[in-house]
């Protein structure tokens, strides 16, 4: 049985983003695995022990540098990985088709996991498209997954902590949320072991993918200016508190 | 002129206030606005939707009235097709995150989530990327265009129209692989962070989960929601549903009060679009002091109770 985990290679959220040509970012910064995908990998590694002969395969669509992210995925528990090498940024519609083609060429999925969203493009949609292309059910923001003989019971977190308890037929696609687990960060032996594991590379151009429904294209990208002018509210605690309440009432007009 | 579909969200049978801003965003250039209401009292919200320019309310019945993510997505698609709607807007709320991508997948249509602006004539969306560090203008190409709108991105502006209610019964979709076993409610009276007008959040400086009671009391007095930084969540002081930031809720309230939060890049990724940021921190060198509108350097354990007291006196 195969569990596929879709991971994304994203800029470190602490990195300074520089924009080039008004439409893309300077990629000479630290990239790592999308944080939500760490929950997906950790969950897959845990579920593997419940399934007979299960194998966890990490899949990524990105430039060649994403091999690092796949090494991290393998250090965190994936048995092997597939990198669909793309020489340009592609949108979520095409990414979903590339993931589907790569998974289909590799094996029959029992379960597909992914992070619920990526922290760079924040598109929140690739896993749903992948599920649709496969004809599988999908659930997002999963905070609990229980595998049963013929399905998966997923607790999907909604507004203000409410949850939908869903039963999905298998195979299915599940988007991991922050509350799913605590990511298992690799030890040095894990990292060394991961170096020996396979990263199979496929060229995007060699996969038969197209996106007839349409596309999204970035017209422009501009830095968001930080233009606040901090002013101090002085005085002792009581005076500062009164001034804060005045600001809420008279300036922000929220009271 | 286009027909614009607006997926209207309800909470506890009441229309969510955040819909007003979304409808406002769709006004302009004489677009025809269709409110799509699924399994809710469409007649009761007709007046409110009319006040913001909606000219038709489509009262959709799906799956015998019960919630089902695939069933609802399918019903919205059917209603769009029946009305000739090719552009859809909805909120980037927990429900919108579950529904809009499903609708986009069914239609194989481009979707941009968390839009802060849309140009419906050119099919261009504006949204932030890279943890709020960059603003992107994104062109949508194809027959259908779908936009998830950030709550509070636009202030509601009334525009009178006279909406008519049209009933629409969705055809039962083919078997879905999802069975909704139950829905477990969240904590009663909790304000959802993403749609709150005021948020008061605590970080490392709170020192314990018990101390969050200070923020709860203050929040109650000002009608705010309580948030937290990742540190406070990782320490187990509050559940992760409180977390604001990169891997928590992205919020844009009118006022964000950060108590004992140093202001990491990851925290700012979740709250930098707040209209006003007020920091309470005992460390004058904390990063947040340089990136806020107002700050108080002092002990939050003295200041916050004083704020609660002052609110009591003012109220």
């Amino acid at each position: 049985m195969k569990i596929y985990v879709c991971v994304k290679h994203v800029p470190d959220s602490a990195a300074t983003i520089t924009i080039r040509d008004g439409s893309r970012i300077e990629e000479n910064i630290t990239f790592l695995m999308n944080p939500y995908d760490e929950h997906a990998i950790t969950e897959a590694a845990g579920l593997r022990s419940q399934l007979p002969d299960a194998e966890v395969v990490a899949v990524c669509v990105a430039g060649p540098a994403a091999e690092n992210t796949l090494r991290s995925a393998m250090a965190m528990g994936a048995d092997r990985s597939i990198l669909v090498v793309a020489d340009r940024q592609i949108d979520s519609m095409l990414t979903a088709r590339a993931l589907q083609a790569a998974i289909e060429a590799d094996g029959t999925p029992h379960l597909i996991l992914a992070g619920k969203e990526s922290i760079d493009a924040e598109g929140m949609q690739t896993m749903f498209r992948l599920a649709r292309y496969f004809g599988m059910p999908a659930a997002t923001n999963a905070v609990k997954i229980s595998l049963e003989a013929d399905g998966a019971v997923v607790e999907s977190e909604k507004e203000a902590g409410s949850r939908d308890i869903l039963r999905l037929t298998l195979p299915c696609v599940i988007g991991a949320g922050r509350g799913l687990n605590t990511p298992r960060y690799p030890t040095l032996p894990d990292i060394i072991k991961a170096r020996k594991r396979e990263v199979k590379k496929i060229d995007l151009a060699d996969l038969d993918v197209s996106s007839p429904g349409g596309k999204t294209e970035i017209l422009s990208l501009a830095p968001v200016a930080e233009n606040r002018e901090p002013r101090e509210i002085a005085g002792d605690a009581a005076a500062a508190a009164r001034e804060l309440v005045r600001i809420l009432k008279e300036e922000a007009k929220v009271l | 002129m286009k027909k614009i579909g607006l997926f209207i969200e309800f909470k506890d049978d009441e229309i969510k206030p955040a819909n007003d801003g979304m409808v406002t965003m769709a006004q302009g250039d004489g677009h025809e606005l269709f409110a799509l209401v699924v399994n809710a009292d469409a007649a009761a919200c007709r007046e409110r939707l009319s006040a913001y320019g909606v000219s038709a309310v489509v009262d959709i019945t799906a799956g015998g009235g019960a919630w089902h993510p695939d069933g609802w997505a399918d019903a919205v698609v059917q209603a769009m097709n029946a009305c000739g709607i090719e552009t859809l807007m909805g909120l980037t709320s927990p429900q919108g995150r579950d529904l809009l991508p499903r609708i986009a997948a069914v239609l194989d249509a481009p979707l941009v989530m968390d839009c802060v602006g849309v140009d419906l004539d050119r099919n261009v969306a504006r949204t932030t990327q890279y943890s709020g560090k960059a603003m992107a203008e994104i062109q949508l190409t194809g027959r259908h265009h779908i936009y998830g709108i950030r709550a509070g991105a636009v202030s509601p502006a009334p525009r009178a129209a006279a909406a008519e209610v049209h009933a629409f019964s969705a055809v039962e979709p083919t078997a879905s692989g999802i069975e909704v076993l139950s829905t477990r409610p969240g904590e009663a009276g909790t304000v959802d962070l993403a749609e709150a007008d005021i948020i008061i959040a605590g970080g490392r400086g709170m020192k314990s989960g018990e101390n969050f009671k200070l923020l709860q009391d203050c929040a109650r007095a000002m009608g705010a929601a309580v948030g937290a930084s990742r540190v406070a969540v990782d320490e187990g002081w509050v559940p992760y549903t409180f977390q604001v930031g990169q891997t928590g809720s992205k919020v844009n309230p009118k006022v964000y009060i950060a108590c004992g939060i140093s202001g990491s890049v990851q925290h700012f990724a979740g709250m930098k679009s707040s209209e006003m940021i007020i920091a309470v921190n005992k460390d004058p060198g904390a990063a947040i002091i340089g990136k806020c509108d107002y700050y108080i350097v002092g002990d939050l354990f003295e200041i916050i109770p004083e704020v609660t007291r002052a609110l009591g006196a003012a109220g």
Side-chain angles (χ1 to χ4, degrees), chain A residues 92-101 104 126-136 210-214, chain B residues 104-109:
Chain A
S92 58
M93 298 176 78
L94 209 51
T95 302
R97 289 199 183 267
L99 287 169
Q100 185 207 8
E104 242 171 10
T126 306
M127 50 156 293
F128 285 103
R129 297 188 189 277
L130 179 63
R132 183 76 188 181
Y133 294 149
F134 267 121
M136 296 177 188
S210 61
S211 178
Chain B
V106 171
L107 292 168
D108 198 17

Side-chain angles (χ1 to χ4, degrees), chain B residues 61-261:
Chain B
T61 311
W67 159 246
H68 189 287
D70 280 341
W72 281 41
D74 202 76
V76 170
V77 170
Q78 286 183 37
M80 286 170 69
N81 289 338
C83 301
I85 296 166
E86 293 180 344
T87 301
L88 177 70
M89 293 164 72
L91 292 168
T92 309
S93 57
Q95 189 179 49
R97 286 158 182 260
D98 201 348
L99 269 183
L100 298 173
R102 287 180 199 275
I103 294 167
V106 171
L107 292 168
D108 198 17
L111 159 71
V112 179
M113 293 292 276
D114 215 22
C115 302
V116 295
V118 290
D119 181 334
L120 298 171
D121 296 315
R122 290 164 56 222
N123 308 321
V124 171
R126 288 177 73 239
T127 185
T128 55
Q129 292 189 332
Y130 302 103
S131 319
K133 289 176 216 160
M135 179 66 68
E137 279 211 351
I138 302 176
Q139 177 77 57
L140 289 79
T141 314
R143 184 174 148 207
H144 294 95
H145 309 103
I146 305 175
Y147 305 92
I149 306 302
R150 186 181 295 181
V154 165
S155 299
R159 183 160 92 171
E164 282 180 33
V165 178
H166 306 277
F168 181 84
S169 269
V171 181
E172 280 294 310
T174 47
S176 156
I178 299 178
E179 185 190 348
V180 180
L181 300 176
S182 63
T183 294
R184 193 186 303 159
E187 229 172 287
T190 323
V191 184
D192 199 54
L193 282 172
E195 287 162 40
D197 274 341
I198 316 175
I199 293 173
I200 179 162
R204 190 187 299 277
M206 295 306 296
K207 294 184 181 152
S208 77
E210 233 158 68
N211 289 336
F212 267 79
K213 194 177 168 299
L214 287 180
L215 300 189
Q216 303 278 14
D217 291 343
C218 191
R220 210 168 299 121
M222 62 170 77
V226 175
S229 72
R230 177 161 191 168
V231 176
V233 171
D234 285 348
E235 289 287 342
W237 298 341
V238 287
Y240 63 84
T241 46
F242 282 61
Q243 190 182 324
V244 171
Q246 179 75 78
T247 52
S249 293
K250 307 274 193 319
V251 300
N252 58 336
K254 294 199 170 79
V255 179
Y256 189 89
I257 306 173
C259 306
I261 294 177

